[in-house]
Amino acid sequence: MAKKQKLPWDFLADFRDDFAGEWPTVPEMYSITAKRFGNRPSFTDFEGAGGAKNTLTYAQVVEKVTRLSDWLTANGVVKGDRVAVTGKNSPEWATVYLAALYSGAVICPIDYALSATEIENLLNTAKPKFLFVDEEKFTHFSENSYDFKVYSLCPKHPDLYAYNLKTDRDGAEIARIKNQNKPVETDLACILFTSGTTGTPKGVMLTHKNLIADAMIAQSRMTIYETDVFYALLPIHHAYTMLAVLIVSITMGSEVVFGKSMAVSRLMKELKEGQITMLLGVPLLFNKLLAGIMKGIRAKGAVVYGIIKLLLAISYITKKIFHVNIGKKLFKSVLQQANIYSLRIAICGGGPLAASVFKVYNEMGIDFVQGYGLTETSPIITLNPIDHFKIESVGQYFFPWMEMKILDPAEDGVGEVCVKGPMVFQGYYNMPEETAKVFTEDGWFKTGDLGKLDGEGYLILAGRVKNMIVTEGGKNVYPEEIENAFQLYTDIEQITVQGYIADFTTKSEEIEALIYPSDDVFKKLGIERAGNETSSSVKMQVKQIVDIVNKTLQPYARISRITLLEKPLEMTTTQKVKRNYKK
């Protein structure tokens, strides 16, 4: 008889008395983990005196969450009410998140980078009973009149500070009400707003089952330990960090270090002193980190650089063919200097990463993987297994626990990626027509992404359906694939590709690159940036790079027009260009 496969969630069988559904709710999951690892660190930041490290154990977090959820209940929060939170990454933010769910409410995390007016637009849709807000925007919200009450994530306002809120009401009475409001796995857990900050906001509705099932099933492709330390550097309101850092960590008893800034000095300090083992980031973060490492190596001279390149190649072959990671020892000093020697795994999401970048990290001994997903899928639906990764792919989808197919594939196998599974969202908040548009008649969610599947269930992405360019010859060109080819060129800070009408008679499209040069270009040329953004010397420098990349592209996909930008294009909080630039 074949041996039964061990699954990451098998331990839940020992806690069947602690939850009633197929999966625990988020509060049930945290309480189970606190039973297992009560004395282990859960939430950490560096907000102590002089940047000192502060850590709360799982038992201590449960105490703070319970006290705040009791207060919410005592102040009228019932099942289904909304509680909003907006602020920098912090243990207080996560405590509010959990406390709202413990009280049966729906948590509404809101992008702190938005203006107060934009946040108000989202709040008008969510209609929360309470808003917890960080220091910079607290004055604005506390001094205006709203239908919701405003409280603080910052101890500078002690009477309104989340950690200080507690009720004097009878404990037995509060427990009875909370029991009545206790969520089940199919209840709505959170509403995540993905767009519509100035118009009609689009809120993605995710249940407790969506979140816990996705967090657990994702671990079928990656092993997480209670000794792991996650770094919450990207904004935690975003589905990627919320699920892949916060929720995943609490399923296994891991620690979360909350990063509030991407300033290099602070990043280096927290990576080193936090002893981070799990670093999740977007392509921009990993590209900049690698560019700094490679710059240091090149500075050692051509001979040393050549030797290191050879060692990198040997390391990769050894790892890929023999599954032996020698890179961590070979490049120990390099990794220590970059404060990433403690890393066990680095995960890139939120956008496509160039295969060349993916490869170099693996060569250096970092188990580096890519994942893929959308807010509407909780978000993770593919991950590259460490022992069988493919650098050209964003990972393998989670069969048999979900399904994936390519809708209407072209000759090259590329079509729209569609999925079914327990991580797929319930719809857009109060937008039934918009919800219907993204599902097929037989219930498949249409991601809006183009890609193809190989024989082992690995997904190779091409780009977004709405961004695809069709040339005069009928060829499909995917802007993201072209943009990825520039990720290791430090002279280009930002590049965005679009089609333009080259011949208005035939309406044929060709390829244009909108490029914002980096400061490196101006330093190299010995000129000031101000007033010289579009000078001929800068354009010539940029064109040399474009010409190099063009030689690697199919003729129909080559860039034929370069437009230099005086200012960078607007970006999302996960460092992706907002593609509202079409001329």
Side-chain angles (χ1 to χ4, degrees), residues 63-102:
E63 183 181 343
K64 289 182 179 295
V65 167
T66 300
R67 184 167 62 233
L68 181 55
S69 68
D70 286 352
W71 180 89
L72 289 169
T73 298
N75 283 272
V77 169
V78 297
K79 192 171 186 176
D81 282 343
R82 271 79 61 208
V83 173
V85 59
T86 185
K88 299 182 292 293
N89 294 357
S90 68
E92 289 91 340
W93 191 105
T95 298
V96 169
Y97 181 100
L98 290 170
L101 299 180
Y102 266 73

mmCIF file of all heavy atoms in Angstrom, residues 63-102:
data_model
loop_
_atom_site.group_PDB
_atom_site.id
_atom_site.type_symbol
_atom_site.label_atom_id
_atom_site.label_comp_id
_atom_site.label_asym_id
_atom_site.label_seq_id
_atom_site.Cartn_x
_atom_site.Cartn_y
_atom_site.Cartn_z
ATOM 1 N N GLU A 63 -3.567 37.756 24.453
ATOM 2 C CA GLU A 63 -4.071 38.591 25.548
ATOM 3 C C GLU A 63 -4.497 39.968 25.036
ATOM 4 O O GLU A 63 -5.580 40.468 25.369
ATOM 5 C CB GLU A 63 -2.988 38.738 26.615
ATOM 6 C CG GLU A 63 -3.426 39.534 27.830
ATOM 7 C CD GLU A 63 -2.317 39.672 28.863
ATOM 8 O OE1 GLU A 63 -1.339 38.893 28.794
ATOM 9 O OE2 GLU A 63 -2.421 40.567 29.716
ATOM 10 N N LYS A 64 -3.654 40.601 24.183
ATOM 11 C CA LYS A 64 -3.977 41.925 23.657
ATOM 12 C C LYS A 64 -5.164 41.862 22.688
ATOM 13 O O LYS A 64 -6.052 42.738 22.709
ATOM 14 C CB LYS A 64 -2.754 42.516 22.941
ATOM 15 C CG LYS A 64 -1.633 42.936 23.870
ATOM 16 C CD LYS A 64 -0.480 43.543 23.118
ATOM 17 C CE LYS A 64 0.640 43.976 24.046
ATOM 18 N NZ LYS A 64 0.245 45.067 24.966
ATOM 19 N N VAL A 65 -5.203 40.838 21.863
ATOM 20 C CA VAL A 65 -6.292 40.690 20.903
ATOM 21 C C VAL A 65 -7.622 40.457 21.622
ATOM 22 O O VAL A 65 -8.651 41.050 21.278
ATOM 23 C CB VAL A 65 -5.993 39.536 19.923
ATOM 24 C CG1 VAL A 65 -7.244 39.151 19.121
ATOM 25 C CG2 VAL A 65 -4.869 39.929 18.967
ATOM 26 N N THR A 66 -7.588 39.604 22.628
ATOM 27 C CA THR A 66 -8.814 39.307 23.387
ATOM 28 C C THR A 66 -9.345 40.554 24.082
ATOM 29 O O THR A 66 -10.552 40.828 24.058
ATOM 30 C CB THR A 66 -8.541 38.192 24.418
ATOM 31 O OG1 THR A 66 -8.105 37.020 23.739
ATOM 32 C CG2 THR A 66 -9.808 37.872 25.199
ATOM 33 N N ARG A 67 -8.435 41.319 24.688
ATOM 34 C CA ARG A 67 -8.856 42.539 25.384
ATOM 35 C C ARG A 67 -9.498 43.531 24.409
ATOM 36 O O ARG A 67 -10.549 44.113 24.692
ATOM 37 C CB ARG A 67 -7.674 43.182 26.101
ATOM 38 C CG ARG A 67 -8.072 44.406 26.937
ATOM 39 C CD ARG A 67 -6.964 44.829 27.884
ATOM 40 N NE ARG A 67 -5.763 45.223 27.172
ATOM 41 C CZ ARG A 67 -4.564 44.729 27.410
ATOM 42 N NH1 ARG A 67 -4.393 43.783 28.313
ATOM 43 N NH2 ARG A 67 -3.514 45.146 26.735
ATOM 44 N N LEU A 68 -8.875 43.703 23.222
ATOM 45 C CA LEU A 68 -9.423 44.644 22.242
ATOM 46 C C LEU A 68 -10.722 44.131 21.631
ATOM 47 O O LEU A 68 -11.664 44.907 21.420
ATOM 48 C CB LEU A 68 -8.384 44.924 21.140
ATOM 49 C CG LEU A 68 -8.809 45.920 20.054
ATOM 50 C CD1 LEU A 68 -9.256 47.256 20.659
ATOM 51 C CD2 LEU A 68 -7.675 46.138 19.043
ATOM 52 N N SER A 69 -10.809 42.839 21.375
ATOM 53 C CA SER A 69 -12.047 42.293 20.801
ATOM 54 C C SER A 69 -13.195 42.379 21.806
ATOM 55 O O SER A 69 -14.349 42.624 21.439
ATOM 56 C CB SER A 69 -11.850 40.844 20.332
ATOM 57 O OG SER A 69 -11.639 39.966 21.416
ATOM 58 N N ASP A 70 -12.879 42.206 23.099
ATOM 59 C CA ASP A 70 -13.895 42.394 24.143
ATOM 60 C C ASP A 70 -14.393 43.841 24.136
ATOM 61 O O ASP A 70 -15.591 44.107 24.278
ATOM 62 C CB ASP A 70 -13.322 42.067 25.524
ATOM 63 C CG ASP A 70 -13.152 40.572 25.759
ATOM 64 O OD1 ASP A 70 -13.623 39.783 24.916
ATOM 65 O OD2 ASP A 70 -12.538 40.206 26.781
ATOM 66 N N TRP A 71 -13.468 44.780 23.983
ATOM 67 C CA TRP A 71 -13.838 46.196 23.927
ATOM 68 C C TRP A 71 -14.726 46.486 22.713
ATOM 69 O O TRP A 71 -15.725 47.214 22.825
ATOM 70 C CB TRP A 71 -12.575 47.055 23.883
ATOM 71 C CG TRP A 71 -12.867 48.529 23.824
ATOM 72 C CD1 TRP A 71 -13.039 49.375 24.885
ATOM 73 C CD2 TRP A 71 -13.022 49.326 22.643
ATOM 74 N NE1 TRP A 71 -13.307 50.654 24.438
ATOM 75 C CE2 TRP A 71 -13.303 50.643 23.066
ATOM 76 C CE3 TRP A 71 -12.955 49.052 21.276
ATOM 77 C CZ2 TRP A 71 -13.506 51.693 22.161
ATOM 78 C CZ3 TRP A 71 -13.174 50.082 20.374
ATOM 79 C CH2 TRP A 71 -13.434 51.382 20.815
ATOM 80 N N LEU A 72 -14.361 45.917 21.554
ATOM 81 C CA LEU A 72 -15.180 46.104 20.349
ATOM 82 C C LEU A 72 -16.597 45.578 20.571
ATOM 83 O O LEU A 72 -17.590 46.230 20.214
ATOM 84 C CB LEU A 72 -14.532 45.404 19.149
ATOM 85 C CG LEU A 72 -13.247 46.031 18.593
ATOM 86 C CD1 LEU A 72 -12.584 45.087 17.589
ATOM 87 C CD2 LEU A 72 -13.529 47.380 17.928
ATOM 88 N N THR A 73 -16.690 44.401 21.172
ATOM 89 C CA THR A 73 -17.992 43.795 21.448
ATOM 90 C C THR A 73 -18.796 44.662 22.417
ATOM 91 O O THR A 73 -19.989 44.922 22.217
ATOM 92 C CB THR A 73 -17.816 42.375 22.015
ATOM 93 O OG1 THR A 73 -17.151 41.560 21.050
ATOM 94 C CG2 THR A 73 -19.165 41.749 22.356
ATOM 95 N N ALA A 74 -18.128 45.122 23.469
ATOM 96 C CA ALA A 74 -18.800 45.961 24.461
ATOM 97 C C ALA A 74 -19.280 47.275 23.863
ATOM 98 O O ALA A 74 -20.240 47.883 24.367
ATOM 99 C CB ALA A 74 -17.861 46.230 25.631
ATOM 100 N N ASN A 75 -18.649 47.699 22.779
ATOM 101 C CA ASN A 75 -19.010 48.953 22.131
ATOM 102 C C ASN A 75 -19.867 48.745 20.876
ATOM 103 O O ASN A 75 -19.881 49.598 19.982
ATOM 104 C CB ASN A 75 -17.753 49.756 21.807
ATOM 105 C CG ASN A 75 -17.191 50.442 23.028
ATOM 106 O OD1 ASN A 75 -17.562 51.561 23.363
ATOM 107 N ND2 ASN A 75 -16.290 49.744 23.723
ATOM 108 N N GLY A 76 -20.533 47.595 20.847
ATOM 109 C CA GLY A 76 -21.588 47.416 19.864
ATOM 110 C C GLY A 76 -21.239 46.698 18.578
ATOM 111 O O GLY A 76 -22.092 46.580 17.690
ATOM 112 N N VAL A 77 -20.020 46.214 18.437
ATOM 113 C CA VAL A 77 -19.670 45.485 17.206
ATOM 114 C C VAL A 77 -20.328 44.112 17.220
ATOM 115 O O VAL A 77 -20.190 43.358 18.194
ATOM 116 C CB VAL A 77 -18.141 45.341 17.066
ATOM 117 C CG1 VAL A 77 -17.783 44.356 15.944
ATOM 118 C CG2 VAL A 77 -17.507 46.691 16.784
ATOM 119 N N VAL A 78 -21.059 43.807 16.160
ATOM 120 C CA VAL A 78 -21.697 42.502 16.020
ATOM 121 C C VAL A 78 -21.250 41.869 14.711
ATOM 122 O O VAL A 78 -20.604 42.502 13.885
ATOM 123 C CB VAL A 78 -23.242 42.607 16.063
ATOM 124 C CG1 VAL A 78 -23.718 43.127 17.414
ATOM 125 C CG2 VAL A 78 -23.750 43.500 14.928
ATOM 126 N N LYS A 79 -21.608 40.636 14.540
ATOM 127 C CA LYS A 79 -21.183 39.864 13.375
ATOM 128 C C LYS A 79 -21.532 40.592 12.072
ATOM 129 O O LYS A 79 -22.664 41.023 11.880
ATOM 130 C CB LYS A 79 -21.855 38.490 13.397
ATOM 131 C CG LYS A 79 -21.282 37.491 12.419
ATOM 132 C CD LYS A 79 -21.874 36.119 12.693
ATOM 133 C CE LYS A 79 -21.244 35.038 11.852
ATOM 134 N NZ LYS A 79 -21.748 33.697 12.178
ATOM 135 N N GLY A 80 -20.534 40.739 11.219
ATOM 136 C CA GLY A 80 -20.748 41.380 9.929
ATOM 137 C C GLY A 80 -20.451 42.865 9.894
ATOM 138 O O GLY A 80 -20.331 43.448 8.811
ATOM 139 N N ASP A 81 -20.336 43.511 11.061
ATOM 140 C CA ASP A 81 -19.945 44.921 11.077
ATOM 141 C C ASP A 81 -18.538 45.068 10.527
ATOM 142 O O ASP A 81 -17.723 44.139 10.593
ATOM 143 C CB ASP A 81 -19.978 45.477 12.511
ATOM 144 C CG ASP A 81 -21.380 45.789 12.985
ATOM 145 O OD1 ASP A 81 -22.298 45.883 12.146
ATOM 146 O OD2 ASP A 81 -21.562 45.952 14.210
ATOM 147 N N ARG A 82 -18.241 46.262 9.995
ATOM 148 C CA ARG A 82 -16.913 46.493 9.455
ATOM 149 C C ARG A 82 -16.063 47.313 10.431
ATOM 150 O O ARG A 82 -16.551 48.244 11.074
ATOM 151 C CB ARG A 82 -16.980 47.256 8.116
ATOM 152 C CG ARG A 82 -17.102 46.366 6.893
ATOM 153 C CD ARG A 82 -18.498 45.865 6.684
ATOM 154 N NE ARG A 82 -19.438 46.968 6.484
ATOM 155 C CZ ARG A 82 -20.723 46.898 6.808
ATOM 156 N NH1 ARG A 82 -21.232 45.793 7.347
ATOM 157 N NH2 ARG A 82 -21.530 47.922 6.584
ATOM 158 N N VAL A 83 -14.798 46.928 10.507
ATOM 159 C CA VAL A 83 -13.787 47.681 11.251
ATOM 160 C C VAL A 83 -12.660 47.975 10.275
ATOM 161 O O VAL A 83 -12.155 47.066 9.607
ATOM 162 C CB VAL A 83 -13.254 46.883 12.459
ATOM 163 C CG1 VAL A 83 -12.085 47.628 13.117
ATOM 164 C CG2 VAL A 83 -14.362 46.633 13.477
ATOM 165 N N ALA A 84 -12.258 49.243 10.152
ATOM 166 C CA ALA A 84 -11.218 49.632 9.199
ATOM 167 C C ALA A 84 -9.908 49.920 9.927
ATOM 168 O O ALA A 84 -9.907 50.382 11.067
ATOM 169 C CB ALA A 84 -11.655 50.857 8.404
ATOM 170 N N VAL A 85 -8.813 49.621 9.242
ATOM 171 C CA VAL A 85 -7.489 49.904 9.795
ATOM 172 C C VAL A 85 -6.605 50.432 8.681
ATOM 173 O O VAL A 85 -6.605 49.908 7.564
ATOM 174 C CB VAL A 85 -6.865 48.652 10.459
ATOM 175 C CG1 VAL A 85 -6.732 47.494 9.470
ATOM 176 C CG2 VAL A 85 -5.514 48.973 11.087
ATOM 177 N N THR A 86 -5.866 51.504 8.960
ATOM 178 C CA THR A 86 -4.939 52.042 7.968
ATOM 179 C C THR A 86 -3.726 52.605 8.692
ATOM 180 O O THR A 86 -3.852 53.377 9.647
ATOM 181 C CB THR A 86 -5.603 53.121 7.081
ATOM 182 O OG1 THR A 86 -4.679 53.530 6.067
ATOM 183 C CG2 THR A 86 -6.071 54.333 7.874
ATOM 184 N N GLY A 87 -2.550 52.173 8.281
ATOM 185 C CA GLY A 87 -1.330 52.621 8.945
ATOM 186 C C GLY A 87 -0.119 51.868 8.447
ATOM 187 O O GLY A 87 -0.214 50.988 7.584
ATOM 188 N N LYS A 88 1.031 52.228 8.975
ATOM 189 C CA LYS A 88 2.272 51.529 8.644
ATOM 190 C C LYS A 88 2.237 50.134 9.261
ATOM 191 O O LYS A 88 1.497 49.871 10.212
ATOM 192 C CB LYS A 88 3.471 52.324 9.173
ATOM 193 C CG LYS A 88 3.598 53.723 8.573
ATOM 194 C CD LYS A 88 4.826 54.461 9.082
ATOM 195 C CE LYS A 88 4.720 54.804 10.536
ATOM 196 N NZ LYS A 88 3.675 55.800 10.840
ATOM 197 N N ASN A 89 3.058 49.258 8.719
ATOM 198 C CA ASN A 89 3.139 47.903 9.271
ATOM 199 C C ASN A 89 3.540 47.960 10.739
ATOM 200 O O ASN A 89 4.518 48.624 11.099
ATOM 201 C CB ASN A 89 4.188 47.081 8.519
ATOM 202 C CG ASN A 89 3.800 46.821 7.067
ATOM 203 O OD1 ASN A 89 2.718 47.198 6.628
ATOM 204 N ND2 ASN A 89 4.677 46.163 6.329
ATOM 205 N N SER A 90 2.805 47.262 11.590
ATOM 206 C CA SER A 90 3.112 47.292 13.017
ATOM 207 C C SER A 90 2.364 46.181 13.741
ATOM 208 O O SER A 90 1.343 45.681 13.254
ATOM 209 C CB SER A 90 2.704 48.642 13.628
ATOM 210 O OG SER A 90 1.286 48.784 13.625
ATOM 211 N N PRO A 91 2.840 45.796 14.935
ATOM 212 C CA PRO A 91 2.090 44.844 15.751
ATOM 213 C C PRO A 91 0.691 45.364 16.101
ATOM 214 O O PRO A 91 -0.263 44.585 16.183
ATOM 215 C CB PRO A 91 2.958 44.700 17.008
ATOM 216 C CG PRO A 91 4.341 45.000 16.537
ATOM 217 C CD PRO A 91 4.170 46.087 15.519
ATOM 218 N N GLU A 92 0.562 46.686 16.291
ATOM 219 C CA GLU A 92 -0.754 47.263 16.581
ATOM 220 C C GLU A 92 -1.716 47.041 15.418
ATOM 221 O O GLU A 92 -2.892 46.715 15.629
ATOM 222 C CB GLU A 92 -0.632 48.772 16.868
ATOM 223 C CG GLU A 92 0.039 49.088 18.189
ATOM 224 C CD GLU A 92 1.548 49.254 18.072
ATOM 225 O OE1 GLU A 92 2.125 48.766 17.069
ATOM 226 O OE2 GLU A 92 2.157 49.851 18.978
ATOM 227 N N TRP A 93 -1.228 47.253 14.202
ATOM 228 C CA TRP A 93 -2.051 47.030 13.005
ATOM 229 C C TRP A 93 -2.564 45.590 13.002
ATOM 230 O O TRP A 93 -3.755 45.332 12.797
ATOM 231 C CB TRP A 93 -1.215 47.307 11.753
ATOM 232 C CG TRP A 93 -1.951 47.390 10.446
ATOM 233 C CD1 TRP A 93 -2.239 48.526 9.742
ATOM 234 C CD2 TRP A 93 -2.457 46.296 9.661
ATOM 235 N NE1 TRP A 93 -2.909 48.202 8.575
ATOM 236 C CE2 TRP A 93 -3.054 46.839 8.508
ATOM 237 C CE3 TRP A 93 -2.472 44.913 9.821
ATOM 238 C CZ2 TRP A 93 -3.647 46.056 7.519
ATOM 239 C CZ3 TRP A 93 -3.075 44.126 8.847
ATOM 240 C CH2 TRP A 93 -3.660 44.691 7.708
ATOM 241 N N ALA A 94 -1.660 44.629 13.209
ATOM 242 C CA ALA A 94 -2.036 43.210 13.178
ATOM 243 C C ALA A 94 -2.964 42.851 14.333
ATOM 244 O O ALA A 94 -3.860 42.010 14.186
ATOM 245 C CB ALA A 94 -0.778 42.341 13.223
ATOM 246 N N THR A 95 -2.778 43.503 15.479
ATOM 247 C CA THR A 95 -3.649 43.245 16.634
ATOM 248 C C THR A 95 -5.074 43.697 16.344
ATOM 249 O O THR A 95 -6.043 42.985 16.659
ATOM 250 C CB THR A 95 -3.102 43.964 17.883
ATOM 251 O OG1 THR A 95 -1.802 43.438 18.196
ATOM 252 C CG2 THR A 95 -4.022 43.767 19.079
ATOM 253 N N VAL A 96 -5.224 44.863 15.737
ATOM 254 C CA VAL A 96 -6.561 45.346 15.347
ATOM 255 C C VAL A 96 -7.187 44.397 14.338
ATOM 256 O O VAL A 96 -8.379 44.051 14.431
ATOM 257 C CB VAL A 96 -6.475 46.776 14.763
ATOM 258 C CG1 VAL A 96 -7.811 47.174 14.119
ATOM 259 C CG2 VAL A 96 -6.088 47.765 15.840
ATOM 260 N N TYR A 97 -6.392 43.972 13.372
ATOM 261 C CA TYR A 97 -6.859 43.032 12.343
ATOM 262 C C TYR A 97 -7.454 41.779 12.995
ATOM 263 O O TYR A 97 -8.577 41.365 12.695
ATOM 264 C CB TYR A 97 -5.672 42.674 11.449
ATOM 265 C CG TYR A 97 -5.962 41.718 10.306
ATOM 266 C CD1 TYR A 97 -6.147 42.200 9.016
ATOM 267 C CD2 TYR A 97 -6.018 40.334 10.502
ATOM 268 C CE1 TYR A 97 -6.385 41.335 7.955
ATOM 269 C CE2 TYR A 97 -6.264 39.469 9.463
ATOM 270 C CZ TYR A 97 -6.439 39.967 8.186
ATOM 271 O OH TYR A 97 -6.687 39.110 7.142
ATOM 272 N N LEU A 98 -6.696 41.173 13.908
ATOM 273 C CA LEU A 98 -7.143 39.946 14.557
ATOM 274 C C LEU A 98 -8.312 40.199 15.508
ATOM 275 O O LEU A 98 -9.267 39.416 15.556
ATOM 276 C CB LEU A 98 -5.983 39.308 15.323
ATOM 277 C CG LEU A 98 -4.863 38.698 14.468
ATOM 278 C CD1 LEU A 98 -3.672 38.337 15.342
ATOM 279 C CD2 LEU A 98 -5.354 37.476 13.710
ATOM 280 N N ALA A 99 -8.261 41.299 16.257
ATOM 281 C CA ALA A 99 -9.319 41.597 17.220
ATOM 282 C C ALA A 99 -10.668 41.777 16.527
ATOM 283 O O ALA A 99 -11.706 41.338 17.041
ATOM 284 C CB ALA A 99 -8.965 42.841 18.027
ATOM 285 N N ALA A 100 -10.670 42.432 15.384
ATOM 286 C CA ALA A 100 -11.912 42.607 14.629
ATOM 287 C C ALA A 100 -12.502 41.247 14.266
ATOM 288 O O ALA A 100 -13.713 41.018 14.399
ATOM 289 C CB ALA A 100 -11.651 43.434 13.371
ATOM 290 N N LEU A 101 -11.647 40.321 13.821
ATOM 291 C CA LEU A 101 -12.120 38.990 13.430
ATOM 292 C C LEU A 101 -12.568 38.187 14.646
ATOM 293 O O LEU A 101 -13.545 37.433 14.579
ATOM 294 C CB LEU A 101 -11.024 38.251 12.663
ATOM 295 C CG LEU A 101 -10.570 38.919 11.349
ATOM 296 C CD1 LEU A 101 -9.469 38.101 10.681
ATOM 297 C CD2 LEU A 101 -11.732 39.092 10.391
ATOM 298 N N TYR A 102 -11.871 38.328 15.754
ATOM 299 C CA TYR A 102 -12.270 37.645 16.991
ATOM 300 C C TYR A 102 -13.662 38.102 17.447
ATOM 301 O O TYR A 102 -14.394 37.343 18.079
ATOM 302 C CB TYR A 102 -11.254 37.928 18.101
ATOM 303 C CG TYR A 102 -10.152 36.895 18.256
ATOM 304 C CD1 TYR A 102 -9.121 36.787 17.329
ATOM 305 C CD2 TYR A 102 -10.135 36.032 19.339
ATOM 306 C CE1 TYR A 102 -8.094 35.867 17.473
ATOM 307 C CE2 TYR A 102 -9.110 35.101 19.507
ATOM 308 C CZ TYR A 102 -8.090 35.013 18.570
ATOM 309 O OH TYR A 102 -7.083 34.085 18.728
#
